[in-house]
Amino acid sequence: MVDGAVFHNRTRRSRSIPRTLLRRGHLPAVPLYYALRLSDLAREGFANSGSYRFADHIYRGIPSGRGRVGKWIDGRLLDMPAVRSFRNRFLAARDALAAFLLAADPARDVHVLSVPSGLPRELVEAANIVRQRGRSLDHVHFHALDLNATVLDEARHFAAHHRVPLI
């Protein structure tokens, strides 16, 4: 709680997805569920639907999972049209931010805010693009905002690891 506020998670929960599938008569979906759990993306999606880690996995676009099969499944999921569209939105934000920073007057302060921050990969990757083009980020101030203080701490650590200080 922050200042008396109560945050509600409206994500639907199931005590047991396989049991729910069986109860609804979807027997063939049970082995599929267990196969999908080999994929890091699917496992995160099942456990924490819509989490910042789920989004960041898509933004990275690198297949991972348990064993070769899990990595293969993860790659197939990352290649789905809806997932590619999700990643393209991230790439567009990253590229627009990099273009904005490259066009900005390098002598004037610029403030950039990521909301909700999650892991601010768009800030980090845009900063890398700007650096690769030989521009300084001395006058750029990156900010992150998220309702979850733990996520903000992780965002700061992630950004600092990539030499992007967050305020």
Side-chain angles (χ1 to χ4, degrees), residues 16-70:
S16 169
I17 292 173
R19 202 171 321 153
T20 300
L21 292 169
L22 288 172
R23 189 175 60 248
R24 293 181 181 172
H26 300 297
L27 181 62
V30 174
L32 177 61
Y33 166 78
Y34 285 108
L36 285 170
R37 287 193 50 82
L38 296 173
S39 155
D40 288 345
L41 181 63
R43 199 169 45 259
E44 179 65 24
F46 289 142
N48 302 302
S49 177
S51 74
Y52 70 97
R53 291 181 196 279
F54 179 83
D56 191 64
H57 188 93
I58 293 171
Y59 297 162
R60 276 183 296 127
I62 300 170
S64 63
R66 294 181 179 158
R68 279 187 250 184
V69 172

Side-chain angles (χ1 to χ4, degrees), residues 78-146:
L78 288 170
D79 199 38
M80 293 175 67
V83 177
R84 284 195 323 263
S85 179
F86 195 98
R87 178 170 161 69
N88 286 339
R89 185 180 67 197
F90 154 75
L91 294 172
R94 178 204 66 189
D95 293 347
L97 176 56
F100 171 78
L101 293 174
L102 288 166
D105 180 349
R108 295 191 56 166
D109 282 352
V110 173
H111 293 268
V112 179
L113 175 63
S114 178
V115 180
S117 70
L119 295 181
R121 187 169 296 278
E122 75 285 4
L123 301 185
V124 166
E125 290 193 14
N128 287 338
I129 291 168
V130 171
R131 285 187 189 119
Q132 288 169 359
R133 303 246 174 104
R135 291 285 301 269
S136 169
L137 293 169
D138 290 344
H139 292 280
V140 179
H141 307 280
F142 294 103
H143 304 268
L145 179 65
D146 202 287

